[in-house]
Amino acid sequence: MGALMRAQDWSASPLGPLGTWPQSLRTAVSMVLGSKFPSCLVWGPHLITLYNDAFRPILGAKPEALGRPFDEVWSEAWEAIGPIADRAFAGESTFIEDFPLVVERHGYAEQAYFTFCYSPVRDESGAVAGFLDTVIETTGKVVAERREGFRLALEERLRGVTEPRAVMAAAVEALGRELGASRAGYGEVQADDATIVFDACFVDGVDPLTGTFALGEFGPESVTRQRQGLTEACDDVRAEPAQVQATWAAIETRSFVSVPLVRDGRLTATLYVNFRDAHRWTADEVALVEEVAARTWAAVERARGESALRQSEAHYRALFENVDVGYSVHDVRFDEGGKPVDYCVLEANPAFERHTGLVDAVGKWVSELTPGIEQHWIDANGHVLLTGEPVRIENYVEPLGRWYDVHMFRTGEPSRHRVAVLFNDISERKLAEGRLRELNATLEERVAERTAERNLLAKIVEVTDVMVLAVDLDHNILAINTANADAFERIYGVRPRAGDNMLSLLADQPEHQAQVRAGWAQGMRGENVTFVEAYGDSDRVRPYYEVNFRPLWNDAGEQIGIYQFAIDVTDRIRGQAQLADAQEALRQSQKMEAMGQLTGGVAHDVNNLLSPIMGGLDLLQRRGVGGEREQRLIAGALASAERVRVLVQRLLAFARRQPLQPQPVDVGSLVAGMADLIGSTSGPKIKVVVDAASDLPAALADPNQLEMAILNLAVNARDAMPEGGQLTISARSDDVGRGHLSGLTPGRYVRLSVADTGTGMDEATLKRAVEPFFSTKGVGQGTGLGLSMAHGLAAQLGGVLLIDSRPGLGTTVELWLPATSSGSVPVERAIGPEVDVGAGIALLVDDEELVRVSTADMLAELGYQVVEATSAEEALRLLGDGLVPDVVVTDHLMPGMTGTELAREVRRRLRHDRVLIISGYADVEGVAHDLPRLVKPFRQADLATSLAALSQARG
């Protein structure tokens, strides 16, 4: 190196020619060149590098460093060593061991380690002019120590891992972290030798490599090298055309090492390490990967062997614990003469206890466990032990009361005196053999009995009403009884027989075939299934069947088909439907009853309020109060009050609490007499047809209320035919028996029908048709009380109202009225004459003051002297005080005594019956039929007519 230094032209160097170098520099260079230790002198502010031959290996393949700046020579590491150089120029010496540096000495970056000392060198003036770098590379030592630590840590980590996959995962993670790799993993070649499955994988910054890959994806040359057991190391796949670029790009890899595992000439696995970027593999790194692969495969094989051993032991223990065969190991004891005299149970499985009934037998001698055991059992143990010949015995153990099938064999060395025993309790078999011998003696008799039993069972199955059918899994009929065949033929028109395919029989009936297939599919799942379903054509009455499917098994426990039990439950299903309908009808009836009570109460209150209004207006009209305009207003108010009175009567009719005067009515004549009225009401676009049977019996009804009901029904029919149509009113007699759809008491009835050809009603509207105030007409076009009044009237008379309607087909309303054998009473429609009721004392009793005042004015105008009482009790006190009225007018329902009770008392005391009951309450059931009554509200003319009737009755 000295010759090279002398030969170099230094004139262009910051140091100048050699001859001009200061003595301090010459001395320092002389020391460096004379040293056998790697040394380098860095001189001057330009850090000129001067070094000896021992330092050259540290430079490696770097460009010639002699005379170049030190920071340029080691530019890649200057960030780490620059501060140390600065301290040397500051006069500070530095010594560092195993200093890590990434250097580029061979065309690539590599990790290296150095132990070095930077010592300041002073010039003639004593100033620091440079520093001496004495250095030794320790990369080999550091790597060796690190690798040894890694090996020890890996071995320690793998020592406690027993699962093969866990061994591999731990190994590749440790290796990947040690090398700073992007990925490290393990793959096993599959039995087809064409695919490899990657499982355990460590990653850092890339995706894991897992799943199944074709070996060919890694290129034929790589696969061939792997099959030959050769390690493959690649610094940069892009620099090697033979590598499959697409494969490596897909898994984000540019550099790799792959170590194959070849067993018996076959590639079985590979361990790999990947880098995302190019990487210069050192021999040490490749050797480490190969070493880890060898250690890992050894650990995996060990883990697999241990796992197999554990599994074997577990299998043996499971077999030992769970096998139904009894197992025990005996220690045989001999006497001095060599004769076996006893044996001890050393080991026993759970089946030993089940077969013998002996508990906690281990460690006990047989003479203790089963005193009196036969000597031949002990002799058999001794014979097997001494001869080594296995023995098979079937015999009886008297102390245990059981038969055993026993297999004995020697285990271990004879000197250990061990005999292993396998045995089964065959007591049941022996008993069965005895029974079999007994049964064989009576075989012919039992066959005859069994045949008779089977014949009886077959006969029962054949004649039962329960439908029985068995099919295989392809729907081929295996067996069928008459009941099932009859039902099948009745429903589908074809008679099935054993051997037929059930679906083929229905090939021309696809809908039925699909239903049968779906039903039997439920049973073919191998489970017990029960359901109820209707079968047959939908346009006919379809019977319901309760179907039970049960799987059919063979002796091997395999399902070979299914069998069916079916019961006709049509009556039960229809009964349930009828019960549901009856319950719905009951709920509807209860609803209507509640609404009736409500409307009846409302009507009572309105009547009481309306009575003084109508009375007062009537008085004003009769007295001619005011001028023409006032009289017109009074007339209008009276007309409105009259309409309210009619509305209240309809509410009372719906509530079935209106005061009726039922009498025999000739319905035919009544309807015929109303024909013209109905025709004029319906209009020219509607044809009215009246059809009454000539032999109709009289109906028990209130003629006035019946006329109102018919007229309301006719108006409803008219409104349902806005474009015109036909309105038919007919009357027929019918005999009603038990169970009639009307629910009427058995007897004879007159059925009055009002039918139209109008729009009809849907089901929802039909359900609410008789509710009060329910109407499908527009606002102001109806009260919604017509049907409800007719419904209440029919019910109050002991009949019923029925409605049949369909959208677009019209509506028919039927009034069923009880028939009577009494002759009908002609219906009178004459206008009453002026009534002269005479004069006298009238006792007026009413708890409502306004009603009482209005009625008193009417009586006074009729010529009566009116005495008022606010209750029945007060009226009786007046009678007791000597009052003798000519007529008594009393409200019916009052606090305390009712009007009816008062009337009875008046009759008893005064010996006359000129008592008139007036009431606005809906409930008139408490009023005796023989008592005259007047319904609130009323006008003076109504009151005068009722009083006149009392006078005529008295005369």
Side-chain angles (χ1 to χ4, degrees):
M1 193 67 199
L4 181 63
M5 193 178 298
R6 288 189 294 272
Q8 184 162 324
D9 182 7
W10 296 94
S11 59
S13 169
L15 298 182
L18 280 175
T20 64
W21 288 7
Q23 185 59 46
S24 55
L25 175 58
R26 290 172 178 273
T27 303
V29 170
S30 177
M31 291 175 57
V32 168
L33 295 177
S35 174
K36 300 298 183 183
F37 199 85
S39 301
C40 174
L41 178 64
V42 179
W43 193 265
H46 295 91
L47 307 179
I48 301 302
T49 304
L50 304 167
Y51 56 89
N52 63 6
D53 291 323
F55 189 81
R56 183 179 291 277
I58 293 176
L59 293 170
K62 280 179 173 292
E64 179 56 54
L66 184 65
R68 290 172 55 209
F70 194 69
D71 57 349
E72 180 181 311
V73 173
W74 298 104
S75 60
E76 74 274 18
W78 190 249
E79 184 177 349
I81 63 178
I84 304 175
D86 291 340
R87 290 201 298 272
F89 275 103
E92 179 182 344
S93 297
T94 301
F95 177 76
I96 300 177
E97 291 186 286
D98 300 330
F99 189 67
L101 290 175
V102 177
V103 297
E104 294 182 6
R105 300 181 292 182
H106 304 288
Y108 56 87
E110 61 178 296
Q111 180 71 59
Y113 297 86
F114 301 92
T115 295
F116 62 88
C117 178
Y118 281 8
S119 301
V121 178
R122 300 180 185 274
D123 61 11
E124 286 78 2
S125 65
V128 176
F131 65 85
L132 178 64
D133 175 16
T134 54
V135 59
I136 182 170
E137 184 171 355
T138 60
T139 301
K141 175 181 77 70
V142 172
V143 171
E145 291 174 351
R146 181 172 175 177
R147 294 291 187 256
E148 183 61 25
F150 168 76
R151 293 184 186 95
L152 293 174
L154 177 62
E155 187 169 341
E156 181 64 25
R157 183 172 182 180
L158 297 183
R159 182 176 292 115
V161 183
T162 58
E163 293 298 325
R165 187 183 182 285
V167 169
M168 192 56 63
V172 297
E173 180 184 358
L175 180 61
R177 294 189 185 280
E178 174 66 15
L179 296 177
S182 302
R183 183 190 296 116
Y186 173 80
E188 290 190 347
V189 178
Q190 302 304 290
D192 59 6
D193 285 334
T195 56
I196 184 168
V197 174
F198 293 107
D199 188 5
C201 185
F202 159 80
V203 293
D204 182 9
V206 296
D207 292 333
L209 183 61
T210 58
T212 303
F213 292 78
L215 286 173
E217 293 184 50
F218 297 94
E221 293 185 9
S222 292
V223 174
T224 299
R225 191 178 297 110
Q226 293 275 304
R227 293 191 191 281
Q228 293 172 351
L230 301 177
T231 298
E232 183 176 12
C234 177
D235 295 343
D236 188 352
V237 296
R238 297 180 185 176
E240 297 187 16
Q243 297 293 340
V244 182
Q245 300 298 321
T247 299
W248 296 114
I251 61 175
E252 304 175 271
T253 297
R254 283 192 63 182
S255 178
F256 71 88
V257 165
S258 179
V259 181
L261 173 63
V262 177
R263 288 284 187 268
D264 299 326
R266 176 180 174 273
L267 175 63
T268 60
T270 184
L271 185 145
Y272 65 87
V273 179
N274 297 161
F275 278 88
R276 187 173 191 172
D277 300 315
H279 176 75
R280 180 78 174 186
W281 289 99
T282 66
D284 175 75
E285 290 174 332
V286 174
L288 178 64
V289 176
E290 291 177 332
E291 180 183 351
V292 170
R295 286 173 178 260
T296 302
W297 285 324
V300 168
E301 293 297 327
R302 182 182 69 251
R304 285 175 174 166
E306 293 174 352
S307 176
L309 179 60
R310 287 194 302 273
Q311 290 181 4
S312 176
E313 291 175 348
H315 291 162
Y316 170 76
R317 177 56 54 186
L319 178 65
F320 180 78
E321 296 290 337
N322 298 300
V323 69
D324 194 48
V325 177
Y327 174 78
S328 59
V329 176
H330 301 163
D331 179 10
V332 185
R333 184 171 65 189
F334 295 84
D335 63 10
E336 295 178 356
K339 178 181 178 180
V341 294
D342 208 348
Y343 60 82
C344 180
V345 179
L346 300 179
E347 193 174 346
N349 69 345
F352 178 94
E353 180 178 331
R354 292 197 300 271
H355 285 299
T356 64
L358 300 175
V359 182
D360 298 330
V362 175
K364 296 179 181 177
W365 295 91
V366 72
S367 58
E368 175 188 357
L369 288 170
T370 53
I373 189 172
E374 294 84 353
Q375 179 62 36
H376 64 79
W377 291 109
I378 301 174
D379 292 340
N381 275 267
H383 174 77
V384 169
L385 182 61
L386 294 176
T387 64
E389 298 175 358
V391 170
R392 182 80 176 266
I393 305 172
E394 279 191 12
N395 216 327
Y396 188 73
V397 178
E398 183 67 33
L400 299 179
R402 303 184 185 185
W403 282 86
Y404 292 98
D405 176 13
V406 181
H407 183 202
M408 300 181 182
F409 53 92
R410 186 171 67 191
T411 178
E413 297 298 324
S415 59
R416 298 185 62 207
H417 291 191
R418 300 289 190 267
V419 174
V421 179
L422 294 170
F423 64 94
N424 279 304
D425 183 351
I426 58 172
S427 302
E428 290 294 329
R429 194 190 80 192
K430 287 294 185 180
L431 291 174
E433 289 174 354
R435 288 194 295 268
L436 180 61
R437 286 191 296 270
E438 180 181 349
L439 291 174
N440 285 336
T442 59
L443 179 60
E444 183 176 348
E445 179 182 351
R446 287 184 294 103
V447 168
E449 292 176 354
R450 189 63 181 272
T451 301
E453 179 184 347
R454 287 182 178 272
N455 289 340
L456 177 60
L457 180 60
K459 183 176 181 180
I460 292 173
V461 171
E462 186 61 26
V463 302
T464 183
D465 291 337
V466 177
M467 287 154 275
V468 182
L469 174 62
V471 302
D472 63 17
L473 298 179
D474 295 321
H475 300 91
N476 296 310
I477 298 176
L478 304 176
I480 186 170
N481 72 343
T482 300
N484 201 308
D486 291 345
F488 196 99
E489 183 176 19
R490 184 169 58 255
I491 296 173
Y492 303 119
V494 58
R495 190 170 187 82
R497 294 177 175 81
D500 289 342
N501 184 276
M502 188 165 48
L503 298 182
S504 298
L505 293 175
L506 301 176
D508 59 342
Q509 304 177 53
E511 292 185 6
H512 296 324
Q513 185 189 60
Q515 183 185 26
V516 170
R517 185 196 302 274
W520 283 81
Q522 297 183 62
M524 290 190 179
R525 293 198 298 260
E527 302 173 357
N528 294 347
V529 178
T530 299
F531 59 87
V532 175
E533 191 167 359
Y535 291 87
D537 293 330
S538 57
D539 57 349
R540 301 170 58 187
V541 177
R542 306 176 73 198
Y544 285 86
Y545 294 94
E546 180 180 279
V547 182
N548 297 271
F549 286 118
R550 300 293 184 269
L552 188 63
W553 311 94
N554 62 13
D555 293 339
E558 301 167 336
Q559 185 177 359
I560 60 173
I562 50 177
Y563 59 93
Q564 173 201 77
F565 296 101
I567 303 171
D568 189 336
V569 294
T570 303
D571 291 341
R572 187 184 79 192
I573 296 299
R574 290 176 182 166
Q576 291 171 348
Q578 291 171 356
L579 176 60
D581 291 343
Q583 290 173 337
E584 177 61 25
L586 176 60
R587 284 192 292 271
Q588 187 67 14
S589 174
Q590 291 171 338
K591 172 182 174 182
M592 299 305 294
E593 180 66 24
M595 295 180 68
Q597 292 176 0
L598 174 62
T599 54
V602 170
H604 163 258
D605 292 340
V606 172
N607 276 338
N608 277 336
L609 294 173
L610 198 58
S611 291
I613 295 173
M614 288 190 68
L617 290 171
D618 183 47
L619 180 62
L620 293 175
Q621 186 180 53
R622 284 186 291 102
R623 290 183 177 179
V625 175
E628 180 182 351
R629 179 175 180 276
E630 285 76 10
Q631 282 295 307
R632 189 167 60 252
L633 292 175
I634 292 171
L638 271 173
S640 297
E642 185 65 27
R643 291 178 63 187
V644 174
R645 185 174 69 85
V646 173
L647 178 62
V648 172
Q649 286 179 344
R650 290 182 177 181
L651 286 172
L652 289 171
F654 166 74
R656 290 174 282 172
R657 293 176 179 178
Q658 62 181 334
L660 297 180
Q661 295 179 352
Q663 61 189 50
V665 176
D666 184 348
V667 176
S669 299
L670 185 144
V671 172
M674 295 181 67
D676 292 339
L677 175 62
I678 293 173
S680 61
T681 303
S682 300
K685 296 169 61 176
I686 296 176
K687 179 181 178 181
V688 178
V689 176
V690 176
D691 179 18
S694 59
D695 58 347
L696 277 179
L700 189 62
D702 183 318
N704 294 325
Q705 296 296 333
L706 183 58
E707 283 181 345
M708 183 182 295
I710 295 172
L711 185 59
N712 283 331
L713 295 178
V715 171
N716 283 346
R718 178 202 66 190
D719 294 342
M721 298 183 288
E723 303 301 325
Q726 179 170 308
L727 170 61
T728 303
I729 303 176
S730 60
R732 298 285 187 273
S733 66
D734 283 290
D735 291 322
V736 172
R738 293 185 181 277
H740 191 265
L741 60 87
S742 64
L744 290 168
T745 303
R748 197 171 192 197
Y749 291 83
V750 174
R751 174 167 52 89
L752 176 62
S753 172
V754 178
D756 64 64
T757 58
T759 56
M761 293 181 281
D762 57 25
E763 185 175 350
T765 304
L766 191 59
K767 285 183 177 180
R768 300 188 60 192
V770 298
E771 292 182 11
F773 305 113
F774 175 76
S775 175
T776 58
K777 305 174 185 178
V779 176
Q781 298 184 19
T783 62
L785 288 171
L787 278 174
S788 59
M789 185 273 284
H791 166 77
L793 174 65
Q796 195 170 0
L797 292 172
V800 71
L801 180 135
L802 300 178
I803 306 175
D804 181 24
S805 183
R806 294 183 184 179
L809 298 179
T811 301
T812 299
V813 181
E814 294 180 348
L815 271 171
W816 291 68
L817 302 173
T820 178
S821 58
S822 303
S824 60
V825 178
V827 178
E828 297 182 359
R829 295 188 177 84
I831 300 175
E834 290 293 326
V835 179
D836 182 10
V837 296
I841 298 175
L843 175 58
L844 174 61
V845 186
D846 199 313
D847 61 318
E848 290 283 346
E849 182 178 1
L850 292 177
V851 176
R852 190 174 66 251
V853 170
S854 174
T855 306
D857 287 342
M858 292 181 189
L859 289 170
E861 283 210 348
L862 290 174
Y864 285 99
Q865 178 183 350
V866 182
V867 178
E868 299 180 28
T870 60
S871 66
E873 289 78 6
E874 183 180 352
L876 291 177
R877 283 196 298 273
L878 291 172
L879 294 178
D881 292 340
L883 178 66
V884 181
D886 295 286
V887 64
V888 177
V889 180
T890 178
D891 188 18
H892 173 51
L893 282 182
M894 298 176 292
M897 181 181 292
T898 67
T900 298
E901 293 169 342
L902 174 61
R904 298 295 186 204
E905 187 62 22
V906 168
R907 284 182 174 182
R908 187 183 68 79
R909 292 189 183 189
L910 302 181
R911 302 297 180 182
H912 73 71
D913 54 3
R914 293 192 66 194
V915 180
L916 177 64
I917 303 292
I918 61 174
S919 178
Y921 195 71
D923 185 1
V924 295
E925 294 181 358
V927 180
H929 294 294
D930 60 339
L931 291 176
R933 55 188 182 272
L934 176 62
V935 178
K936 298 177 185 177
F938 51 84
R939 300 172 71 168
Q940 187 183 61
D942 300 324
L943 178 60
T945 300
S946 297
L947 292 175
L950 282 179
S951 300
Q952 293 170 5
R954 182 180 184 186

